[in-house]
Amino acid sequence: MIARISTLSRASQAWTTCWRSFGTMISEDRKKAMEGQGWDIVGGHSATKLCRWTKSMLQGKGGCYKHSFYGIMSHRCMEHTPNVSCANKCVFCWRNHINPVALNWKFDVDEPEELLRLSLEKHYATIERQCLSPNALEHRKTEAREVRHCALSLVGEPVAYPRVSEFLSLLHRRRISSFLVTNGQFPEALAALPRVTQLYLSCDGADKEMLKAAGRPLFADFWERFLDSLSILSTRGERTVCRLTLMRHVNMEQLDDWANLLQRGSPDFVELKGATLAPIFQKSGLNTQNMPTHAEVKQFAEALVAHLPGYELACEHEHSVSVLLASSRFCDGGGCWKSWIDFERFADIWDNEAVTALDYAATTPEWALYGSP
């Protein structure tokens, strides 16, 4: 059984206002519902779930957009969250709001060591079941049995876990890279966050009303929190990404506003991804007419980059309806992009305070570049 504590870390005290513990975050009823949909619940507030791209790459069928854009080996990636609760109710949520909401931490806190141990244990058990398939490639079975990437993007808000700093250090000491996604509603926690391999900020609207309509944030001062998070992003030394989930007739206009917003965050990369169909669509008032095609996402990318000095079209992944814009700092000027990550290099230097994003950049293969056949 996972150990739990009720004391919050010093870094979390600046933004956590609720000191009384309400016990376990994930109720038994919610746990049953999530497990019924293939989730592996870990402790009282965390979860893992096998990504379909992990299975795909294990069988030699190709990887996710993060493989094309950054070099992640999808079959060696664990999709995880140390905190299933969220402060947004996004209209496009691909997890269909199965998780709870929370504006502050009011739950027991699981020990990060046990959290990681049990998460890996559950992930490896799932991998072993996938390895039984006659379609799984032998050499990839061996590789998949040693996780090298952790996508902290499954659901919820990772930075709100009071001991996320320790959890990240445990990953990096195991030479596991970290891809952490935040909705930008906990800026003080974001400012206290230690280095990750790649830090994402979800950007769902170019202005206050657009963000309210698409992200449906629960904080009254959600816009100020989001802008503060963008400003913090611009000061970070590791690789940073602003990720836009695009919906036709919802947030694919106002290019000048988008450009101004992104310049505030000054990310290394901008991911543009078309929203994909989710059961929540009908409840949110959306339908397939709100799902842009890859051609439309490319058109948006080409229009947006014209408003963003210092950025260029770098990569695309048609299956994921995704395009990557990258800072010109990651291009040598001769068309050679370095959007990929040297993961071994990062594992060697992650705890060096002087590390910059370019210190662990690697050359992007030609097949992943924008416009490649």
Side-chain angles (χ1 to χ4, degrees):
M1 183 175 181
I2 195 166
R4 297 196 179 103
I5 61 171
S6 297
T7 303
L8 301 180
S9 66
R10 183 183 299 272
S12 69
Q13 292 177 13
W15 60 271
T16 304
T17 58
C18 182
W19 292 91
R20 176 188 171 193
S21 173
F22 285 73
T24 300
M25 177 186 292
I26 304 174
S27 67
E28 283 301 314
D29 287 344
R30 191 181 299 275
K31 180 179 179 180
K32 289 178 182 178
M34 295 177 78
E35 289 178 339
Q37 295 184 22
W39 296 68
D40 281 316
I41 304 304
V42 182
H45 52 74
S46 307
T48 67
K49 193 174 190 290
L50 185 72
C51 174
R52 70 184 182 92
W53 290 107
T54 300
K55 177 180 178 180
S56 175
M57 202 162 195
L58 185 60
Q59 297 181 2
K61 297 178 182 178
C64 71
Y65 79 92
K66 290 194 289 292
H67 174 60
S68 296
F69 292 178
Y70 312 120
I72 272 188
M73 302 304 291
S74 304
H75 61 302
R76 306 188 75 178
C77 182
M78 176 176 71
E79 194 163 20
H80 176 77
T81 180
N83 168 35
V84 299
S85 73
C86 192
N88 285 22
K89 297 284 282 186
C90 299
V91 296
F92 54 83
C93 179
W94 61 316
R95 300 307 186 189
N96 305 305
H97 300 167
I98 194 172
N99 56 312
V101 295
L103 301 185
N104 48 47
W105 194 277
K106 52 188 177 183
F107 313 99
D108 291 345
V109 184
D110 292 336
E111 293 282 354
E113 294 86 356
E114 280 294 279
L115 202 62
L116 179 56
R117 183 185 68 81
L118 289 173
S119 297
L120 288 170
E121 183 179 290
K122 289 176 180 288
H123 175 78
Y124 286 137
T126 304
I127 288 295
E128 288 305 318
R129 291 194 291 273
Q130 294 299 319
C131 287
L132 296 175
S133 169
N135 297 320
L137 304 181
E138 287 300 325
H139 70 285
R140 290 196 173 169
K141 289 181 186 179
T142 302
E143 292 172 343
R145 290 176 176 128
E146 187 176 13
V147 166
R148 276 291 166 259
H149 317 293
C150 183
L152 296 164
S153 58
L154 177 60
V155 78
E157 179 53 79
V159 302
Y161 170 43
R163 301 186 69 179
V164 67
S165 296
E166 297 164 79
F167 185 80
L168 290 167
S169 293
L170 291 168
L171 287 174
H172 297 158
R173 288 171 188 161
R174 289 174 176 254
R175 304 183 73 84
I176 298 174
S177 65
S178 54
F179 287 69
L180 186 146
V181 181
T182 177
N183 279 326
Q185 293 300 296
F186 297 95
E188 292 184 23
L190 180 61
L193 192 74
R195 179 183 293 110
V196 297
T197 310
Q198 186 156 289
L199 178 62
Y200 292 75
L201 177 59
S202 294
C203 301
D204 303 324
D207 60 24
K208 184 175 181 179
E209 291 308 310
M210 193 184 293
L211 178 59
K212 183 177 181 179
R216 294 187 180 175
L218 303 181
F219 279 109
D221 59 343
F222 67 90
W223 184 243
E224 291 75 20
R225 288 171 174 268
F226 178 65
L227 292 181
D228 286 347
S229 295
L230 271 172
S231 296
I232 292 166
L233 194 75
S234 70
T235 69
R236 301 285 302 194
E238 73 270 76
R239 296 165 58 102
T240 56
V241 183
C242 283
R243 185 183 189 191
L244 283 61
T245 300
L246 301 175
M247 294 170 284
R248 193 190 295 134
H249 309 313
V250 177
N251 62 359
M252 294 182 71
E253 294 80 30
Q254 301 176 214
L255 289 172
D256 285 334
D257 291 337
W258 272 121
N260 291 333
L261 191 77
L262 293 169
Q263 286 168 345
R264 183 182 185 122
S266 189
D268 296 313
F269 306 97
V270 179
E271 286 183 9
L272 307 172
K273 186 180 188 312
T276 52
L277 187 64
I280 199 69
F281 266 33
Q282 185 174 9
K283 184 179 179 180
S284 299
L286 302 175
N287 56 49
T288 55
Q289 295 302 309
N290 298 111
M291 295 167 51
T293 64
H294 185 62
E296 288 175 305
V297 172
K298 290 180 67 172
Q299 184 179 20
F300 180 87
E302 291 167 4
L304 179 60
V305 80
H307 290 70
L308 280 173
Y311 290 85
E312 299 178 48
L313 299 158
C315 304
E316 64 177 302
H317 190 256
E318 184 172 1
H319 197 110
S320 298
V321 198
S322 299
V323 172
L324 182 71
L325 309 183
S327 166
S328 301
R329 297 189 305 123
F330 289 82
C331 184
D332 67 0
C336 180
W337 281 101
K338 290 193 172 182
S339 70
W340 274 35
I341 298 171
D342 184 338
F343 293 105
E344 292 304 311
R345 174 69 172 156
F346 178 82
D348 290 336
I349 64 175
W350 67 272
D351 57 350
N352 185 329
E353 291 185 5
V355 172
T356 69
L358 289 170
D359 289 334
Y360 52 101
T363 301
T364 312
E366 289 188 9
W367 59 260
L369 298 179
Y370 188 82
S372 294

